[in-house]
Amino acid sequence: MKLAVICGGHGPERGISLNSARSLCDHLPEEAIELVPLYFDTELVAHRLSRNSLYSNTPSDFDFKLSEIGTALSQEKLVECLQSVDLVFPVIHGAYGEDGELQSFLEALEVPFVGAGSEACKGCFDKYSANEHIREHGFFAPETICFEKQNLEGALERLESFISEVDSERIVVKPATGGSSIGVHTAKNAQEALTVLNNLFQDGLYERVVVEPFCTGLEFTVVLVQNRFGMPVALMPIEIETDYSDYQIFDFRKKYLPTRQVAYHCPPRFASEVVEQIMIEAEQLFTLFGMTDFARFDGWLLPDGNIWFSDFNPISGMEQNSFLFVAGARVGLTHADILSYILTNSSKRQEVHLPDIVPYRDPNRKPIQVIFGGDTAERQVSVMSGTNAWLKLRKSDTFAPDAYFLDQDSVVWKLPYAISLNHTAEEISSACKHAEQGVRFDASLRAKVQARLADPPFISQNSFVPERMKLSEFFDSADFVFFGLHGGSGENGELQEECEKRGLGFNGSRAKACQLCVNKFAFGSFVHEQKIEGVTAAAKKLIDTAPLANDLSSLDSFWGELEGEIGVPPYVIKPNDDGCSAGVCRIDTVENLKQYCSFLFQGVERIPAGVFHNAASIIEMPTTIPRYLLLERFIETDSLCVHGQTLEWKHVSGWVEVTVGVLEKNGVLRSLNPSISVASDAILSVEEKFQGGTGINITPPPSSHVSQEVVERAKSGIESIARALNIQGYARFDAFLEIKTGELILIEVNNLPALTPSTVIFQQALSEPEPITPRRFLEILVESGSENSL
């Protein structure tokens, strides 16, 4: 079967669209389905791309080089391509993809596609119109008002009147046709709301803005699929628990980056009759709008007991642990199961032939144990890395992975599929500890949903209870340990030593190399000692936090010594043995340093955006106070940004920040192509590093600014220091590169680099002369780890 996947678009959710397309690549069986990626750029010009491009972090990673990596399609060629495939799966979120425009185009061509048709999309996409429509048909919906860009006359008076009528302390102002909480604001009065209105219209992305009361109830989302009889089936709803104090909202960051700022409960902690009512009404609304195949509805259980469906998504997001997959897993469906279910029933509805899509897996595959979690500030990234490695290796013909979770009490849990998809380490830990109770509570509802799905062959998961064990028991029973841990015992050599004692294979370097690499100060000293031509380390200075716990006054004299030791400010401060951007920020003055240390000793989970210079993003802080902090000289870099299909490069210093992976294959350690990291603030944020759809990585560096000779010189330098460190398997170096000479200033090395779905090391492997797919990359790590244990 040829399946065209349409992604991209001109809206702000383009990056989320890339995540969804990537999931289709990862989980649909290649044996039965040939994917044809079609990317629509910001001008809605279609491009035929390779599957490899879908593993970029954002479209901005490749927009400026589309002519090199893809083929632009004329309207005639696009039509020809679409009519040559069996089925189309649109995954453009927001404008063009969910407003019915793309669907109208496909309908006119008589090309079958997955998802709601044009009329259904048009009916539900505009939030104001959808709200009015459901109210007219007897569903609860609060009063809202709508403003159009071309008609703002009397807007202030209308806002004042609305606020008076709804009697709400706060109102919500949001695009009528937006998604992913982009552009959503709250306002305390009419004047503030008018300012938000004007700003949204000035952005040029929106024509209509809706204003509604600020809800104080309980938020939920519910995924729906259509069964083989054409009936809508609501899966278990998911409760969204977040902090609404100070009128916060469930924003883009909370939706797509695992943090303790939000928790999900599936099924919700509502009364059983309320859960059933949500599911019944969702199914009714699915039919009312005339939807097909699948959708996701967001809503509220209000304090007075009313249920309000506030947003209707005809194309549910499909990120690795998105609501679609979490809800599916709760009734026994894997990623592949639910996608195959949707495809099968969509094909049947449209009389499209679908081949057998149940892939064969050799029952004699080698078992491996993927472990993630831990108790460090990097535990959420560890969950993303570990689940991604586990999910990708599930499709391996050679290895059979199981997922294991290391909790904060050093207890290990063998995870069932459903619990593995929880968003945070805290959610997984809680689910494990209360699993028996949860299974009993879920069983009745699960059975009802499974009966309505009416397709038992798709339900492949029957276990929902984790298995508890001691850490020593985990190692004693393991076949091969795949570490998805970051920081702490996962990277300091402690757990690697346990493997070495038992002769166990594991991914990454051996304990001695790990002990050196995790200590950033020691690593810098080691680099200097090697005296490798063209390779040095950033100047560093340690701060012992113990004497500072009760008195920060000594920092004044400490600051006075810094200039002579590591250069003039500004500096970068970070924990000496933590990573993933935990606690990393720019420091300009001694007052900044004292303020940072004050936050640290207060034990805050995060520093709000805007507190420090050029820190427009939240700074996640370490979970414990590190014994040592590290100060480094801040290195000014050239200014890079991507606007549409243009890379703008402003020369400032000739230095750029890069990250460079190394990979051991067949016993030989080689450097991969470097990636230029483009930060929106002074420091790369955790979102830019690990959140799909955020941040920009340019892989490899563009030849227009960095010659191949410079790239090869940098790769050679990285290989030399990697061998000196005795790196095995793989690693990732963060550094600054001088674009004319190839000189490197190394910042740190990660001996267990992140393996999140769109992590940069996958992009680097895919840019090799012989591209290495993410799954093959992971298989190589297991193969080299097995060889190194002999």
Side-chain angles (χ1 to χ4, degrees):
M1 181 186 195
K2 291 183 74 172
L3 179 72
V5 178
I6 298 181
C7 61
H10 58 57
E13 296 176 82
R14 308 165 57 240
I16 305 304
S17 172
L18 206 60
N19 296 343
S20 294
R22 187 187 309 121
S23 285
L24 294 178
C25 277
D26 281 344
H27 300 293
L28 288 175
E30 299 151 35
E31 303 94 329
I33 297 173
E34 177 191 346
L35 257 62
V36 180
L38 295 175
Y39 171 75
F40 282 62
D41 65 23
T42 53
E43 302 299 320
L44 295 183
V45 174
H47 301 259
R48 178 78 179 262
L49 293 184
S50 70
R51 290 170 63 113
N52 294 352
S53 299
L54 301 181
Y55 289 91
S56 300
N57 204 35
T58 71
S60 295
D61 287 358
F62 58 74
D63 269 344
F64 66 93
K65 55 181 179 181
L66 276 170
S67 60
E68 301 172 28
I69 65 167
T71 303
L73 301 178
S74 65
Q75 191 75 354
E76 182 182 352
K77 288 291 184 182
L78 173 61
V79 170
E80 184 181 312
C81 177
L82 291 171
Q83 292 181 334
S84 72
V85 301
D86 299 295
L87 191 65
V88 173
F89 204 135
V91 292
I92 294 179
H93 302 296
Y96 190 71
E98 291 184 284
D99 59 7
E101 190 174 348
L102 174 58
Q103 289 76 8
S104 293
F105 174 61
L106 295 172
E107 287 164 354
L109 297 175
E110 298 184 349
V111 171
F113 59 90
V114 178
S118 60
E119 289 305 312
C121 289
K122 289 173 187 174
C124 72
F125 185 64
D126 185 289
K127 293 176 174 57
Y128 177 76
S129 300
N131 199 59
E132 296 299 299
H133 184 58
I134 66 173
R135 188 192 298 113
E136 289 169 4
H137 285 81
F139 295 88
F140 174 80
E143 291 295 328
T144 61
I145 55 174
C146 186
F147 293 88
E148 297 188 356
K149 186 175 183 179
Q150 304 304 325
N151 184 18
L152 286 178
E153 186 175 345
L156 185 61
E157 291 76 14
R158 285 183 66 198
L159 287 164
E160 288 172 342
S161 175
F162 177 75
I163 291 171
S164 175
E165 288 175 16
V166 299
D167 191 28
S168 176
E169 292 182 11
R170 199 90 174 180
I171 56 174
V172 175
V173 184
K174 62 185 182 183
T177 55
S180 295
S181 297
I182 296 170
V184 179
H185 301 267
T186 66
K188 63 178 180 288
N189 55 48
Q191 187 58 59
E192 196 173 291
L194 183 62
T195 300
V196 174
L197 270 175
N198 288 325
N199 289 340
L200 286 172
F201 285 136
Q202 285 171 11
D203 283 346
L205 296 174
Y206 311 108
E207 296 297 321
R208 285 158 60 89
V209 170
V210 65
V211 179
E212 62 190 31
F214 184 90
C215 287
T216 56
L218 300 170
E219 202 165 353
F220 67 83
T221 190
V222 57
V223 171
L224 299 104
V225 293
Q226 198 172 25
N227 68 18
R228 60 191 168 100
F229 302 113
M231 299 167 58
V233 180
L235 304 183
M236 292 185 188
I238 300 171
E239 177 191 353
I240 299 162
E241 180 189 6
T242 190
D243 183 6
Y244 297 107
S245 62
D246 299 323
Y247 305 102
Q248 298 177 65
I249 60 169
F250 183 43
D251 59 20
F252 184 90
R253 186 178 197 269
K254 292 175 184 175
K255 282 187 175 179
Y256 297 112
L257 185 72
T259 71
R260 295 184 67 185
Q261 291 180 284
V262 65
Y264 303 106
H265 306 276
C266 184
R269 300 167 300 174
F270 307 160
S272 57
E273 60 271 19
V274 173
V275 173
E276 297 236 12
Q277 187 61 31
I278 288 171
M279 296 168 71
I280 289 169
E281 290 191 22
E283 291 172 356
Q284 292 170 341
L285 287 166
F286 188 96
T287 301
L288 175 65
F289 282 111
M291 291 189 165
T292 46
D293 298 334
F294 77 122
R296 195 192 81 243
F297 300 163
D298 303 330
W300 292 84
L301 174 61
L302 299 172
D304 61 6
N306 277 313
I307 296 168
W308 174 39
F309 286 89
S310 56
D311 288 277
F312 304 93
N313 304 278
I315 302 176
S316 180
M318 286 172 273
E319 205 171 29
Q320 181 171 272
N321 58 353
S322 67
F323 295 130
L324 174 72
F325 298 127
V326 169
R330 286 291 170 178
V331 294
L333 298 167
T334 66
H335 289 65
D337 292 338
I338 194 165
L339 291 175
S340 298
Y341 184 93
I342 291 167
L343 270 184
T344 297
N345 291 325
S346 180
S347 297
K348 180 180 179 182
R349 175 176 61 83
Q350 300 174 93
E351 299 182 344
V352 173
H353 172 70
L354 185 70
D356 181 4
I357 54 176
V358 179
Y360 170 77
R361 291 286 177 262
D362 186 342
N364 298 313
R365 293 183 300 161
K366 178 182 177 179
I368 64 173
Q369 289 71 38
V370 181
I371 187 167
F372 49 88
D375 61 355
T376 72
E378 303 171 68
R379 64 194 181 282
Q380 313 302 3
V381 177
S382 170
V383 168
M384 295 167 71
S385 289
T387 53
N388 183 53
W390 164 66
L391 285 167
K392 283 186 169 59
L393 285 169
R394 279 174 57 85
K395 285 184 69 178
S396 171
D397 292 324
T398 311
F399 304 109
D402 284 314
Y404 290 78
F405 177 74
L406 176 65
D407 72 16
Q408 291 181 289
D409 299 317
S410 294
V411 173
V412 177
W413 301 84
K414 183 179 181 180
L415 299 179
Y417 199 99
I419 292 180
S420 301
L421 298 190
N422 282 348
H423 283 66
T424 65
E426 288 72 24
E427 280 183 40
I428 295 175
S429 180
S430 177
C432 287
K433 292 171 182 175
H434 304 100
E436 296 279 0
Q437 174 188 349
V439 166
R440 288 195 300 271
F441 179 76
D442 298 353
S444 174
L445 185 57
R446 179 181 297 115
K448 290 178 183 178
V449 175
Q450 288 177 340
R452 289 178 57 76
L453 287 169
D455 274 304
F458 284 101
I459 299 171
S460 63
Q461 301 298 305
N462 300 310
S463 172
F464 296 91
V465 180
E467 179 185 337
R468 188 182 193 275
M469 64 191 73
K470 295 177 182 177
L471 185 57
S472 59
E473 293 172 332
F474 165 77
F475 284 116
D476 288 341
S477 62
D479 302 277
F480 178 96
V481 178
F482 193 106
F483 288 113
L485 297 163
H486 300 308
S489 61
E491 282 195 272
N492 65 11
E494 183 180 330
L495 298 186
Q496 285 79 3
E497 277 189 349
E498 294 297 322
C499 289
E500 290 173 24
K501 287 177 189 175
R502 294 167 171 83
L504 271 175
F506 59 92
N507 59 311
S509 299
R510 298 180 77 81
K512 187 175 181 181
C514 291
Q515 291 162 4
L516 174 58
C517 293
V518 78
N519 184 322
K520 297 180 179 67
F521 186 81
F523 165 72
S525 300
F526 180 86
V527 172
H528 284 299
E529 290 167 6
Q530 301 310 301
K531 294 183 169 50
I532 297 171
E533 185 179 355
V535 179
T536 185
K540 306 174 190 292
K541 175 75 173 178
L542 282 178
I543 303 177
D544 187 347
T545 61
L548 302 175
N550 300 310
D551 184 11
L552 300 178
S553 60
S554 62
L555 290 175
D556 290 305
S557 57
F558 176 85
W559 186 266
E561 300 167 1
L562 280 175
E563 185 172 335
E565 295 190 38
I566 64 174
V568 298
Y571 308 117
V572 175
I573 193 167
K574 63 182 76 170
N576 185 49
D577 56 359
D578 231 330
C580 296
S581 294
V584 182
C585 75
R586 171 174 163 166
I587 297 293
D588 289 78
T589 64
V590 67
E591 286 73 25
N592 286 165
L593 180 57
K594 290 178 179 178
Q595 191 176 17
Y596 177 93
C597 290
S598 179
F599 279 122
L600 187 70
F601 289 120
Q602 289 171 36
V604 300
E605 290 184 8
R606 61 194 61 87
I607 298 175
V611 170
F612 293 106
H613 181 80
N614 281 348
S617 300
I618 289 169
I619 300 169
E620 298 286 343
M621 294 295 282
T623 52
T624 58
I625 297 173
R627 175 60 196 272
Y628 293 101
L629 294 171
L630 189 70
L631 277 172
E632 294 176 337
R633 181 170 61 90
F634 179 84
I635 297 175
E636 196 77 28
T637 61
D638 286 359
S639 174
L640 280 70
C641 61
V642 177
H643 288 299
Q645 294 182 31
T646 304
L647 171 64
E648 297 183 2
W649 190 308
K650 180 182 177 184
H651 179 81
V652 176
S653 65
W655 291 91
V656 292
E657 187 170 357
V658 296
T659 184
V660 192
V662 294
L663 178 66
E664 182 182 8
K665 190 176 179 184
N666 299 324
V668 180
L669 192 69
R670 290 280 183 259
S671 171
L672 302 173
N673 274 310
S675 299
I676 296 179
S677 306
V678 182
S680 56
D681 300 336
I683 304 295
L684 274 174
S685 67
V686 66
E687 294 96 326
E688 289 172 318
K689 282 189 174 183
F690 307 114
Q691 179 179 311
T694 307
I696 300 173
N697 295 297
I698 301 173
T699 312
S703 57
S704 56
H705 292 82
V706 185
S707 70
Q708 188 60 37
E709 181 184 356
V710 165
V711 169
E712 292 302 324
R713 195 174 301 147
K715 290 168 67 175
S716 175
I718 290 292
E719 288 173 3
S720 296
I721 194 65
R723 293 186 188 113
L725 288 163
N726 197 25
I727 295 293
Q728 291 176 295
Y730 68 130
R732 194 193 77 233
F733 290 82
D734 296 333
F736 292 95
L737 170 69
E738 213 293 327
I739 63 173
K740 297 300 182 185
T741 66
E743 181 184 348
L744 289 167
I745 300 177
L746 300 182
I747 308 169
E748 60 188 70
V749 57
N750 300 274
N751 54 282
L752 284 178
L755 296 171
T756 57
S758 58
T759 192
V760 70
I761 203 165
F762 288 149
Q763 299 168 43
Q764 293 173 2
L766 285 164
S767 73
E768 288 295 289
E770 294 183 13
I772 304 169
T773 66
R775 184 172 73 243
R776 181 62 194 135
F777 183 94
L778 296 170
E779 289 174 336
I780 291 170
L781 300 188
V782 179
E783 291 164 3
S784 62
S786 299
E787 292 166 4
N788 290 335
S789 68
L790 299 177

